[in-house]
Amino acid sequence: MIKYVAFLRGINVGGNKKIPMSDLKKTFEALGFENVKTLLNTGNIVFEGSETDAKTLETELKSQFGFEIPVIRRTADEIQKLVDSNPFKQIEVTPDTRLYITFLKDKPESKLKTPYEPPGKNFKILKITNDEVISILTISPAFKTTEAMGFLEKEFGKKITTRNWNTVVKLLNL
């Protein structure tokens, strides 16, 4: 049995694509996964099972809920390595600071050189790997989380999903 973390993109955002986490948990259990746990209402699932293709999860979720639900899957070991690397250790965190990990489904084609800061924005991409984009945002009236997510989607496409660093760390303790 391998422990996995699945990040579902675009559910329960702005009242769209609503899925109760209890229904999601039951669906994963019906697929044969064990020790299924969810975190928050945004599609974070920890589960155990044999190796499975994320595409299979997407097909099953569409069948169950009636709409496309992109899934980005990582092993718990991959998440542990990310957390152990502590990519934000040099960042001074204030109440307005947001630390983000954007999980990529495909190898990025972006040509951005890191660290990268869009001109006039309180947003910085610290690092781009084949699997993640590590970024920070200082919330301001001129540039908020939605604008940062729009920038990431424009640069890396729609096969991404972003989580707050605190959420990523909490997933390891489920």
Side-chain angles (χ1 to χ4, degrees), residues 49-141:
S50 60
E51 187 167 349
T52 186
D53 182 30
K55 201 66 167 169
T56 301
L57 289 173
E58 290 174 353
T59 301
E60 293 295 334
L61 292 172
K62 181 177 182 181
S63 173
Q64 180 69 28
F65 297 107
F67 50 85
E68 299 281 336
I69 304 171
V71 177
I72 297 177
R73 186 196 62 179
R74 299 288 189 267
T75 66
D77 288 344
E78 290 170 321
I79 299 298
Q80 185 68 59
K81 286 178 188 172
L82 175 63
V83 169
D84 289 347
S85 75
N86 194 6
F88 301 107
K89 61 183 163 241
Q90 303 297 328
I91 304 303
E92 182 179 332
V93 177
T94 72
D96 294 327
T97 305
R98 304 294 183 266
L99 309 175
Y100 291 123
I101 303 292
T102 299
F103 294 95
L104 308 172
K105 191 164 192 163
D106 301 319
K107 184 178 175 181
E109 295 180 14
S110 175
K111 304 292 185 224
L112 290 180
K113 302 288 183 215
T114 57
Y116 175 80
E117 285 185 73
K121 310 296 182 196
N122 296 327
F123 178 63
K124 186 177 198 176
I125 295 175
L126 301 176
K127 184 177 180 182
I128 301 168
T129 72
N130 286 337
D131 299 314
E132 296 100 20
V133 176
I134 299 48
S135 61
I136 59 171
L137 171 67
T138 303
I139 300 293
S140 74

Side-chain angles (χ1 to χ4, degrees), residues 133-158:
V133 176
I134 299 48
S135 61
I136 59 171
L137 171 67
T138 303
I139 300 293
S140 74
F143 199 72
K144 298 181 172 110
T145 298
T146 53
E147 286 88 3
M149 297 308 109
F151 177 85
L152 289 166
E153 190 172 285
K154 183 178 176 189
E155 186 63 32
F156 298 96
K158 293 187 183 258

